[in-house]
Amino acid sequence: MTDMAWIDAGLRSARPQAVGALLRYFRDLDQAEEAFQEACLRALKNWPVNGPPRDPTAWLILVGRNVALDDVRRRRRNEELPAEETISDLDDAESDLAERLDSSHYRDDVLRLLFICCHPDLPATQQIALALRIVSGLTVKEIARAFLVSESAMEQRITRAKSRVAKAEVAFETPGAVERAERLGAVAAMIYLLFNEGYSASGGEVHVRAPLCEEAIRLSRLLLRLFPGEPEIMALAALLLLQHARAPARLDGDGAIVLLEDQDRRLWDRDMIAEGLALIDKAARHRRPGPYQVQAAIAGVHAHAARPEDTDWSEIDQLYGVLEQLQPSPVVTLNRAVAVSKVKGPAAALTMVEALAEPLAGYFHFFGVKGALLMQLGRANEARTAFDQAIALAHTPQEAAHIRLHLDRLMKDSQPAP
Amino acid sequence: MLYAFLCYHDEAVVNGWTKEQDDAVLAKRALVTDKLRANGKLGPALRLMPTTAATTVRMGREPVILDGPFAETKEALLGFYVIDCASLDEAIELARQIGREEKVVFEIRPVKLFLPGAQVGSEAASKAGSKVA
């Protein structure tokens, strides 16, 4: 790796904390971003010559802050501050800054920055776009490509999100315990949303967008480093790792969807699975179950099964039962029905699914599952109707193609054997 | 003399590497370690999971169990064990037994990759090593 690649990686990993601290200082997102950009430019000039500082994040915050102050002073025709070349690291002269950079501040700075991005005033798509721009530092062009929209449309979306956030009142004081917990919950949900956007795209030609999943995993690890004792954050990271571990097996060579039971499990990423299982183990010790822990446990059951037929479906059925209580939703019940079909058969599952017809009337997977159950029960005509409805609701060509595969099978089965 | 080499790096940077970047670093290192392995000089090597997977047990009158890595700087790293445990609970229990009546701290970190290596350090092993070479 070249020097520049190392510096890039360093700037990227310092970004959430540095921008978070600059935001606390300037209380203005644009100003904080600009100061960070400027600090990065100076780092690119300075670091290859003088070597990277011992604490790159603190260097970037200090330089970013000084650059902005410098501008103000220059405008006032005052004396300039020392150039960043002379700032070696945090020595005695900056002890008060060093004190303000302690880890608890870092923690709340990053949380605040993430929380601003998922402010309840923002629709989900704007939340993710803003987080990718502000926290991850992706360019508008990169984000536009990830969402498959034009650059100008994405620029607009982000600008709109920023102005909404600017109007919203976000407290800059150190948050209390309740507020911190609320922020943590909102941020976790946003990271999960980001992951899902990559895991199962809501539109466009590409069904899986791994960079979005990887970014979500990176953010979940960041959050867990800041809040190491939160079982739900452990479980969030575990859930993302366990799901992303299957990525190499989820699409075949032609980009078509491969269902869990048909995947080549040797392709699953064993490192990610091991880390995910270790985190589940850690979370369980707290005896404070929550929705992410249950979902991670379900993913863990799949990860443990070397072959599809080894899957402990009754365990999955029970876990979905717990999830239904913690976080009741028709989608959870639909997923449970799949487990029930394996344990008690398709008839019992179909009864559960049919009760969901109203709330899930516009949901692709509802008709996919219903069709598959009807097919198992030999009710071909009804199955075909369900599959047709699923195709009409598909978000990506791969989803539609997958359902067409079922339809083809039905057609074949309904024709008399030659 | 046997030497232990403890690797430190910015975790956020390393976890942010792409698979290609990670592989490139390992390939570069292998240029050195492969020769050592061939000469029977390379003992066990291991790569740890991220510190987010760590649990710390601080021994004392009542052992304190903390999520996350060992973060103090007062204490120094003195050594380590590699133990095959069925669960984190078992690992914590073993740490309690090993550190009984001490004020030691154990950071329990799952191992991502374990390479047993040659049996280095004994006279017989170094002879065996020279035979291989």
Side-chain angles (χ1 to χ4, degrees):
Chain A
M1 230 183 287
T2 62
D3 260 6
M4 280 303 168
W6 287 102
I7 291 175
D8 261 0
L11 294 178
R12 198 169 130 75
S13 86
R15 184 182 172 101
Q17 292 191 335
V19 177
L22 290 166
L23 176 66
R24 170 161 47 85
Y25 190 75
F26 295 118
R27 305 201 167 193
D28 180 272
L29 209 49
D30 281 328
Q31 215 178 337
E33 255 200 306
E34 272 164 38
F36 180 74
Q37 284 310 328
E38 190 55 39
C40 286
L41 288 176
R42 297 193 180 205
L44 287 171
K45 266 189 266 170
N46 189 307
W47 293 3
V49 183
N50 297 340
R54 191 166 46 84
D55 186 344
T57 309
W59 191 96
L60 290 165
I61 295 167
L62 194 57
V63 170
R65 202 190 63 155
N66 280 359
V67 168
L69 283 180
D70 209 11
D71 282 349
V72 175
R73 291 192 190 198
R74 204 171 289 154
R75 267 180 252 133
R76 289 183 192 155
R77 285 188 231 153
N78 270 349
E79 202 180 323
E80 287 185 23
L81 285 169
E84 70 278 3
E85 285 83 2
T86 63
I87 302 168
S88 58
D89 226 310
L90 296 178
D91 51 29
D92 291 346
E94 286 97 29
S95 62
D96 83 305
L97 181 79
E99 195 241 328
R100 266 182 284 140
L101 289 179
D102 75 18
S103 55
S104 66
H105 267 308
Y106 268 174
R107 193 177 80 158
D108 288 323
D109 283 347
V110 177
L111 183 60
R112 183 186 300 111
L113 188 67
L114 281 159
F115 178 67
I116 281 177
C117 296
C118 59
H119 199 278
D121 289 356
L122 299 178
T125 50
Q126 283 186 17
Q127 290 183 9
I128 304 172
L130 195 61
L132 289 173
R133 177 72 206 96
I134 303 288
V135 186
S136 308
L138 266 60
T139 61
V140 173
K141 194 174 170 184
E142 286 169 321
I143 304 169
R145 202 183 303 145
F147 280 91
L148 301 152
V149 298
S150 75
E151 216 175 313
S152 61
M154 185 49 75
E155 181 81 62
Q156 240 180 19
R157 194 186 290 182
I158 292 173
T159 311
R160 218 175 292 144
K162 274 188 184 168
S163 70
R164 273 203 199 176
V165 160
K167 275 182 227 138
E169 305 235 322
V170 178
F172 280 89
E173 294 74 39
T174 304
V178 174
E179 197 176 2
R180 190 178 285 141
E182 280 171 3
R183 288 185 180 186
L184 204 51
V187 168
M190 186 268 287
I191 293 174
Y192 192 41
L193 211 62
L194 168 62
F195 181 86
N196 278 327
E197 186 59 33
Y199 191 74
S200 173
S202 61
E205 293 299 307
V206 187
H207 189 69
V208 179
R209 296 176 224 156
L212 293 185
C213 295
E214 281 154 19
E215 190 53 36
I217 290 173
R218 203 174 75 96
L219 291 177
S220 73
R221 282 202 181 116
L222 169 72
L223 206 57
L224 185 53
R225 269 201 306 280
L226 297 171
F227 297 91
E230 292 294 331
E232 278 293 272
I233 304 300
M234 296 172 200
L236 172 68
L239 176 61
L240 305 192
L241 285 163
L242 289 168
Q243 298 212 22
H244 195 51
R246 297 186 212 133
R250 289 183 61 223
L251 298 178
D252 67 12
D254 301 323
I257 296 172
V258 184
L259 281 188
L260 189 56
E261 56 192 52
D262 300 325
Q263 287 173 13
D264 180 352
R265 298 183 177 217
R266 288 166 305 176
L267 297 176
W268 290 0
D269 187 313
R270 291 289 141 194
D271 283 349
M272 283 192 205
I273 289 174
E275 190 183 338
L277 295 176
L279 287 169
I280 291 177
D281 209 2
K282 248 182 94 163
R285 291 195 54 261
H286 287 263
R287 314 248 177 278
R288 272 161 52 202
Y292 291 119
Q293 287 175 75
V294 179
Q295 291 177 79
I298 292 167
V301 174
H302 288 301
H304 271 302
R307 298 169 307 166
E309 54 269 38
D310 299 334
T311 310
D312 188 346
W313 284 107
S314 73
E315 173 77 15
I316 292 180
D317 176 23
Q318 280 175 26
L319 286 166
Y320 272 121
V322 176
L323 193 57
E324 272 183 320
Q325 295 194 329
L326 289 171
Q327 208 177 52
S329 107
V331 173
V332 172
T333 307
L334 180 69
N335 284 320
R336 188 178 185 185
V338 175
V340 167
S341 78
K342 307 278 183 185
V343 182
K344 296 184 190 145
L350 189 64
T351 311
M352 284 175 77
V353 167
E354 277 169 341
L356 306 170
E358 203 180 318
L360 296 182
Y363 191 56
F364 165 79
H365 290 291
F366 169 75
F367 293 102
V369 171
K370 188 179 170 189
L373 292 172
L374 287 165
M375 205 162 85
Q376 285 176 47
L377 290 166
R379 290 155 66 175
N381 283 335
E382 291 162 272
R384 194 167 299 134
T385 310
F387 285 141
D388 282 339
Q389 283 167 300
I391 287 176
L393 291 165
H395 292 108
T396 60
Q398 284 87 344
E399 281 185 354
H402 181 74
I403 297 294
R404 265 186 218 106
L405 220 71
H406 282 303
L407 279 173
D408 289 349
R409 211 172 292 164
L410 270 179
M411 290 292 286
K412 243 185 255 160
D413 291 349
S414 59
Q415 276 161 13
Chain B
M1 176 68 81
L2 290 180
Y3 284 96
F5 292 64
L6 312 167
C7 313
Y8 292 86
H9 202 319
D10 184 337
E11 202 178 13
V13 172
V14 174
N15 289 339
W17 285 345
T18 61
K19 177 110 182 38
E20 290 72 33
Q21 285 171 317
D22 202 281
D23 289 346
V25 172
L26 292 186
K28 181 192 65 71
R29 289 185 172 199
L31 295 178
V32 180
T33 53
D34 281 353
K35 273 185 216 143
L36 294 169
R37 185 175 299 112
N39 294 330
K41 298 282 188 191
L42 187 70
L46 44 94
R47 191 165 180 188
L48 304 174
M49 278 191 199
T51 53
T52 43
T55 305
T56 299
V57 182
R58 181 177 278 281
M59 296 301 293
R61 202 170 295 160
E62 261 311 305
V64 181
I65 297 161
L66 299 159
D67 289 298
F70 177 65
E72 305 292 321
T73 48
K74 204 169 48 172
E75 289 93 345
L77 179 67
L78 300 180
F80 65 90
Y81 300 93
V82 177
I83 306 175
D84 192 354
C85 305
S87 67
L88 178 61
D89 280 335
E90 189 192 345
I92 291 171
E93 178 50 33
L94 288 170
R96 287 178 175 206
Q97 290 177 22
I98 296 169
R100 199 166 56 87
E101 287 167 22
E102 295 177 42
K103 284 186 80 179
V104 64
V105 183
F106 293 105
E107 176 184 321
I108 300 172
R109 189 101 77 88
V111 173
K112 179 173 168 175
L113 174 73
F114 179 70
L115 304 168
Q119 196 174 357
V120 291
S122 69
E123 198 62 32
S126 49
K127 270 184 199 148
S130 60
K131 236 182 271 170
V132 172

